[in-house]
Amino acid sequence: MSGHDQHVAIVGMACRFPGADDSDEYWSNIAAGKCSIRQLSRQELLAAGVNEALADDPLYVSASSHIADYELFDPAFFGVSSAEAMYMDPQRRLLLMCAQEALEQAGYASEHQRPIVGVYAGVSSSLYPLSMVLSRLNQVSGEPSPENEAMDMSMLLANGKDFASTYLSYRLNLTGPSVNVNTACSTSLVAVHQACRALASYDCDLALAGGASIFPYSHGYLYQDGGIQSRDGHCYAFDARANGTIFGDGVGIVLLKRLSEALKDGDTIHAVIRGYAINNDGSDKLSFAAPSVSGQIDVIAEALISSATSAESISYIETHGTGTVLGDPVEIDALSQVFRTYTSGRQFCAITSVKPNIGHLDVAAGVAGLIKTVQALKHRQLPPSINYASPNPQIDFAN
């Protein structure tokens, strides 16, 4: 495949991120340089059930980056019983709602004459199912019965992260490939990669790709020296103050279509994916959780080659940018080495990270960056980098 046949159009997108109920509000917050990470008061922590001793611990960080109203759901609209809805993981509910919204936005909500739609998505591990199980154990007898076993199976199907994609396909009557993706914080971008590959091989005509990560019972954390989480509840990507990241909630999904067909059918095209690549570091890194310069160099170079795009024509990169001491320098080092292969130009490409705005959304982190980039392209505006004052001394920004 070549030319427009290889390129993928983003024809729909939907999201729920901290401080934003849709992609337009999300962009409005980003463009305004707004931070949607809240610092909870002691009263709020106690009301949320945080132990008093823990709330008063000087190492306890009360940062919260949550989605509002995640419990709101219309089960009848999706053909879900009220009993099943009660036990359904909020991640599953919001992924379903966003998928429906993306289809509606693109004009493909009707099941009649709809092309074959694939689904590539994943969700985070959640404590919500466990809390529902414990609640149920307090309500019913421990004696085995057909009713109890049926309810146990319903709870498994409504909550198991392995069923996220196929459940979505079932509820929306989508007949294309339905693949659950679970690769930790790369999940939603790996899902986009898989969806692009599926479209290139004509496995489907449209593809939904994204992820959901919601932790309803997280109201801060106990700081650990040397850990990945921030000491003061703020994320300082690429800054000299970088001391860790903040985890948050988020759900995002994009609807993809082969560009040639999107052009032919007159679809609204929000942006075009010209190239994509995926790899792994293997054992070439300091530890299992540490990034590798060589691995990132390889995948960035492969994506650039795949896109048939000039390095000098790239004016903006949405980075992973977690605000960690080791991760940020590795990312810029890898990018610089790849670009240096193609151009001697310096300081012509802007970088930002959305994590200082909304936190690290785990499974949904990648799609949050993708939707941000789509909006930056649509508005022809470079988004600001908040919480940045002076460069991380480990990063050679001058070169």
Side-chain angles (χ1 to χ4, degrees):
M1 299 178 68
S2 61
H4 282 174
D5 288 337
Q6 179 178 304
H7 299 161
V8 174
I10 298 177
V11 297
M13 55 186 180
C15 63
R16 301 288 188 279
F17 295 135
D21 287 334
D22 56 47
S23 61
D24 288 335
E25 186 176 11
Y26 176 50
W27 171 253
S28 179
N29 290 342
I30 289 171
K34 180 180 178 179
C35 177
S36 297
I37 300 170
R38 293 183 59 235
Q39 307 299 316
L40 301 177
S41 67
R42 184 177 186 275
Q43 289 73 21
E44 287 177 307
L45 292 176
L46 297 179
V50 176
N51 180 279
E52 189 170 353
L54 186 61
D56 293 334
D57 192 310
L59 292 179
Y60 192 78
V61 182
S62 61
S64 172
S65 186
H66 287 310
I67 296 174
D69 301 328
Y70 64 82
E71 72 281 5
L72 300 182
F73 181 64
D74 183 358
F77 179 85
F78 295 102
V80 177
S81 70
S82 56
E84 182 181 347
M86 181 172 62
Y87 291 112
M88 189 186 295
D89 186 349
Q91 297 176 134
R92 187 82 68 82
R93 298 180 205 153
L94 283 174
L95 194 63
L96 187 59
M97 292 164 65
C98 284
Q100 174 69 22
E101 186 178 323
L103 289 167
E104 288 179 355
Q105 183 189 92
Y108 291 107
S110 173
E111 296 180 22
H112 304 292
Q113 298 180 328
R114 181 166 62 193
I116 297 174
V117 183
V119 178
Y120 298 83
V123 299
S124 294
S125 297
S126 174
L127 294 178
Y128 186 82
L130 177 60
S131 70
M132 289 294 97
V133 171
L134 293 176
S135 173
R136 183 171 172 275
L137 287 176
N138 290 330
Q139 297 174 22
V140 302
S141 165
E143 295 297 321
S145 72
E147 281 188 357
N148 285 352
E149 289 184 10
M151 179 59 76
D152 290 341
M153 179 57 70
S154 295
M155 290 179 64
L156 174 64
L157 294 177
N159 288 283
K161 62 184 296 185
D162 293 340
F163 305 116
S165 288
T166 48
Y167 186 85
L168 195 158
S169 296
Y170 167 66
R171 285 299 176 192
L172 298 182
N173 193 26
L174 308 177
T175 58
S178 194
V179 180
N180 217 64
V181 182
N182 284 303
T183 58
C185 56
S186 64
T187 293
S188 56
L189 280 190
V190 171
V192 170
H193 177 272
Q194 298 287 69
C196 289
R197 291 290 298 270
L199 289 167
S201 60
Y202 288 83
D203 289 341
C204 51
D205 303 311
L206 290 165
L208 286 162
S213 182
I214 299 175
F215 298 94
Y217 308 108
S218 175
H219 303 284
Y221 54 89
L222 194 63
Y223 172 75
Q224 294 182 330
D225 190 30
I228 192 175
Q229 291 177 296
S230 167
R231 175 66 184 87
D232 62 0
H234 297 283
C235 179
Y236 304 99
F238 308 112
D239 191 84
R241 295 168 293 171
N243 61 62
T245 198
I246 307 293
F247 287 99
D249 295 341
V251 181
I253 200 159
V254 291
L255 182 63
L256 308 176
K257 187 175 182 178
R258 287 180 287 273
L259 177 61
S260 57
E261 295 176 7
L263 289 169
K264 182 183 67 176
D265 295 339
D267 292 306
T268 295
I269 299 174
H270 299 282
V272 175
I273 299 175
R274 293 176 58 91
Y276 37 91
I278 185 173
N279 76 345
N280 192 270
D281 298 305
S283 60
D284 184 24
K285 49 187 177 181
L286 295 176
S287 68
F288 175 68
S292 154
V293 174
S294 61
Q296 291 194 30
I297 286 174
D298 289 344
V299 77
I300 294 166
E302 187 179 344
L304 196 57
I305 293 169
S306 169
S307 70
T309 301
S310 163
E312 289 184 325
S313 72
I314 297 175
S315 59
Y316 166 62
I317 293 176
E318 172 65 22
T319 66
H320 188 53
T322 56
T324 54
V325 176
L326 292 176
D328 291 359
V330 165
E331 189 167 8
I332 300 305
D333 187 11
L335 283 165
S336 297
Q337 289 194 50
V338 173
F339 273 62
R340 194 66 62 240
T341 303
Y342 299 98
T343 176
S344 60
R346 287 168 167 75
Q347 300 186 10
F348 62 87
C349 181
I351 61 165
T352 70
S353 166
V354 77
K355 291 175 180 62
N357 300 84
I358 61 173
H360 188 329
L361 306 189
D362 192 46
V363 161
V367 74
L370 175 60
I371 293 175
K372 173 187 172 183
T373 306
V374 171
Q375 290 285 35
L377 286 165
K378 288 179 67 177
H379 290 84
R380 298 178 178 270
Q381 179 181 338
L382 290 175
S385 291
I386 69 170
N387 296 351
Y388 181 85
S390 59
N392 183 323
Q394 301 302 315
I395 300 176
D396 184 12
F397 276 124
N399 292 294

